[in-house]
Amino acid sequence: MKPSESIKKVCFVLPTFNEADNIRSTIESIFLEKKHVNKATFFILIVDDNSPDGTQQIVKDLMGQYQNLKMITGEKKGLGEAYKRGFDYALSELDADIIFQMDSDGQHDSKLIPHFLSVFEQGFDLIIGSRFVEGGSTPEFSLRRKILSKVGNLLVRYVGGVSQIKDCTSGYRCIRASFLKRDSIKSLSARGYSFQSSLVCELTSQGAKTKEIPITFTRRISGESKLSWEDQVEFIMNIPRLGFRNYQDFIRYAIVGVSGVFVNLGIYYILTRFFGISQIVSPIISIECAVLSNFILNNFWTFKGRNLQESFISKLFKFHSIAALSGATNYGVFIMLISIFTINDLVANLVGILLGAILNYLINSNWTWRKFD
Ligand SMILES: Nc1nc2c(ncn2[C@@H]2O[C@H](COP(=O)(O)OP(=O)(O)OP(=O)(O)O)[C@@H](O)[C@H]2O)c(=O)[nH]1
Ligand SMILES: [Mg+2]
């Protein structure tokens, strides 16, 4: 038997908190799909956070019927923490080859499991059930939830450097287990729902070959959503962290930025002292020289090898427009701090410079020199 034909262990990691009304049908519907899949054994791992509604008893009863149904329990620390514990168990105790992430409330259609696995067999490492690719939908979302979901995804995609992925927060995914063994996954700090977006960014930066397949995300069968305000706050706080994942790039970018200050000052000095050019005209030339030298160093050093398909001129144009935006941010923050908050002008300018520089880095690293198309 060729390695690709060997029997694969597929583990469905299902986090539960108060899913007593849904868990039985979810488990049954997943095991039902096994008959459509050859060369695989199915395991379901329930990760329950001591649900007070009797979820665990229902799972225990079903364990008599399904030998491959497992459960681990613990204190409620959030969805991300539950997934980390679940992955750990699926890898170390069940020796899984393929891991599915799925909700336990019936919102994820089990009938798509064979399709996920056939895409996996084509060599993909991360298959995402996507609400936002053609054919995918969220027909029962309220307008508020639609907006939250869309805006959340846009932030993750463009700040997190995964603009090629349309649905970064979907909870229905199939992942090559070897990718989850890496330490960087175990140490992802997101505890709640933001774990989902952190995981997509991390897997992608590890080089996971990704494919999205359309899903229809329906209403949960019963019970309440567990998405809390804390989760939403953590999600927002997590966005800058996603942008800074490649901190080495940021250090190089900062070095280039500092070099730009010297280029700017040096050219200004030469123009005013040796060429007698006025103090009005000289800064225009020296600033432009600094922007150009920063661009060249970033293109050939900081972000070397990224976004090669886009022309030099087009990137140069983007770099200039982002520099203007950062300059405007710097100025806007400065004016706001001195006029509204009456903060010392030097401190206000420093805050403006820092915010402008961070914005500049995030947009350039995820747009001008983005990693993927
Ligand atoms: N173990 C564990 N599971 C959780 C926790 N929070 C959510 N879950 C489970 O994670 C899955 C996704 O949560 P949901 O509340 O369905 O989130 P959602 O699908 O965005 O919201 P709805 O559309 O209202 O269902 C469900 O199976 C929950 O039971 C948690 O803190 N611990
Ligand atoms: Mg749900």
Side-chain angles (χ1 to χ4, degrees):
M1 209 183 266
K2 286 187 214 152
S4 62
E5 289 176 349
S6 61
I7 305 285
K8 297 245 168 51
K9 282 189 184 167
V10 182
C11 181
F12 296 84
V13 178
L14 266 59
T16 52
F17 189 73
N18 287 347
E19 300 291 1
D21 291 342
N22 307 316
I23 194 62
R24 174 184 292 276
S25 60
T26 304
I27 290 171
E28 286 170 348
S29 68
I30 293 173
F31 278 131
L32 258 183
E33 289 309 309
K34 171 64 195 81
K35 64 174 185 288
H36 301 298
V37 180
N38 298 320
K39 300 184 209 115
T41 36
F42 278 15
F43 288 85
I44 296 181
L45 174 66
I46 305 296
V47 187
D48 185 69
D49 284 356
N50 296 340
S51 302
D53 72 342
T55 301
Q56 288 186 14
Q57 193 50 51
I58 297 170
V59 177
K60 279 181 194 152
D61 292 347
L62 285 168
M63 279 171 159
Q65 194 181 331
Y66 298 106
Q67 210 191 336
N68 287 356
L69 175 60
K70 311 283 173 192
M71 177 163 65
I72 53 174
T73 60
E75 265 175 53
K76 185 165 171 19
K77 290 183 183 158
L79 181 64
E81 291 297 321
Y83 264 126
K84 276 186 255 178
R85 277 186 283 135
F87 290 164
D88 204 34
Y89 186 95
L91 295 168
S92 58
E93 303 295 321
L94 303 177
D95 197 20
D97 301 299
I98 302 170
I99 291 183
F100 269 82
Q101 292 187 282
M102 237 173 132
D103 288 0
S104 316
D105 55 8
Q107 280 177 304
H108 293 143
D109 184 2
S110 309
K111 294 201 175 65
L112 287 173
I113 291 168
H115 182 41
F116 270 93
L117 290 171
S118 71
V119 175
F120 180 90
E121 285 305 322
Q122 292 165 22
F124 289 94
D125 307 304
L126 167 64
I127 300 117
I128 300 175
S130 175
R131 299 159 295 177
F132 305 126
V133 289
E134 210 186 321
S137 61
T138 53
E140 290 170 77
F141 265 15
S142 62
L143 182 65
R144 178 181 159 272
R145 201 150 167 207
K146 264 194 180 132
I147 294 171
L148 273 181
S149 191
K150 278 274 178 196
V151 172
N153 257 293
L154 280 177
L155 286 171
V156 175
R157 288 174 64 197
Y158 289 99
V159 179
V162 287
S163 55
Q164 76 281 16
I165 297 174
K166 302 275 187 309
D167 194 344
C168 301
T169 53
S170 165
Y172 197 5
R173 300 169 180 164
C174 170
I175 308 166
R176 189 176 297 277
S178 54
F179 276 84
L180 295 174
K181 287 185 182 146
R182 305 178 188 192
D183 287 340
S184 58
I185 306 282
K186 291 179 196 152
S187 57
L188 282 179
S189 57
R191 295 165 66 93
Y193 281 62
S194 53
F195 175 77
Q196 301 288 38
S197 40
S198 290
L199 183 60
V200 162
C201 293
E202 190 53 41
L203 290 171
T204 312
S205 70
Q206 303 272 344
K209 213 174 145 203
T210 303
K211 170 112 180 155
E212 287 181 273
I213 59 174
I215 60 165
T216 302
F217 192 69
T218 50
R219 195 190 290 270
R220 56 165 44 247
I221 300 176
S222 173
E224 286 171 9
S225 177
K226 314 297 175 315
L227 181 69
S228 64
W229 277 108
E230 285 97 315
D231 282 310
Q232 294 177 46
V233 170
E234 190 197 33
F235 185 89
I236 296 294
M237 305 296 275
N238 193 38
I239 299 286
R241 219 188 288 159
L242 296 180
F244 285 117
R245 261 181 345 203
N246 300 319
Y247 66 95
Q248 284 134 330
D249 291 350
F250 183 68
I251 291 171
R252 289 198 202 109
Y253 197 79
I255 294 172
V256 170
V258 171
S259 80
V261 175
F262 287 103
V263 171
N264 191 340
L265 280 178
I267 302 234
Y268 176 82
Y269 184 81
I270 293 168
L271 293 176
T272 50
R273 303 302 188 275
F274 295 103
F275 292 91
I277 298 178
S278 77
Q279 289 175 351
I280 304 294
V281 175
S282 294
I284 300 173
I285 302 172
S286 64
I287 289 171
E288 181 55 26
C289 288
V291 171
L292 283 176
S293 87
N294 280 6
F295 175 78
I296 289 167
L297 287 171
N298 282 326
N299 196 57
F300 294 107
W301 184 53
T302 316
F303 301 120
K304 187 174 165 227
R306 283 212 211 168
N307 196 12
L308 293 176
Q309 61 276 33
E310 189 165 336
S311 74
F312 188 81
I313 296 296
S314 151
K315 281 188 274 195
L316 183 63
F317 181 74
K318 283 182 176 173
F319 190 74
H320 268 88
S321 35
I322 298 162
L325 179 71
S326 319
T329 305
N330 179 346
Y331 184 68
V333 170
F334 171 72
I335 293 293
M336 190 180 75
L337 291 180
I338 55 165
S339 55
I340 303 178
F341 298 101
T342 57
I343 287 177
N344 173 281
D345 59 343
L346 287 180
V347 176
N349 202 6
L350 183 66
V351 175
I353 291 170
L354 287 177
L355 287 180
I358 289 171
L359 185 75
N360 192 295
Y361 169 74
L362 290 177
I363 305 183
N364 275 315
S365 116
N366 291 294
W367 187 44
T368 320
W369 287 284
R370 65 187 175 275
K371 280 188 181 163
F372 307 94
D373 264 318

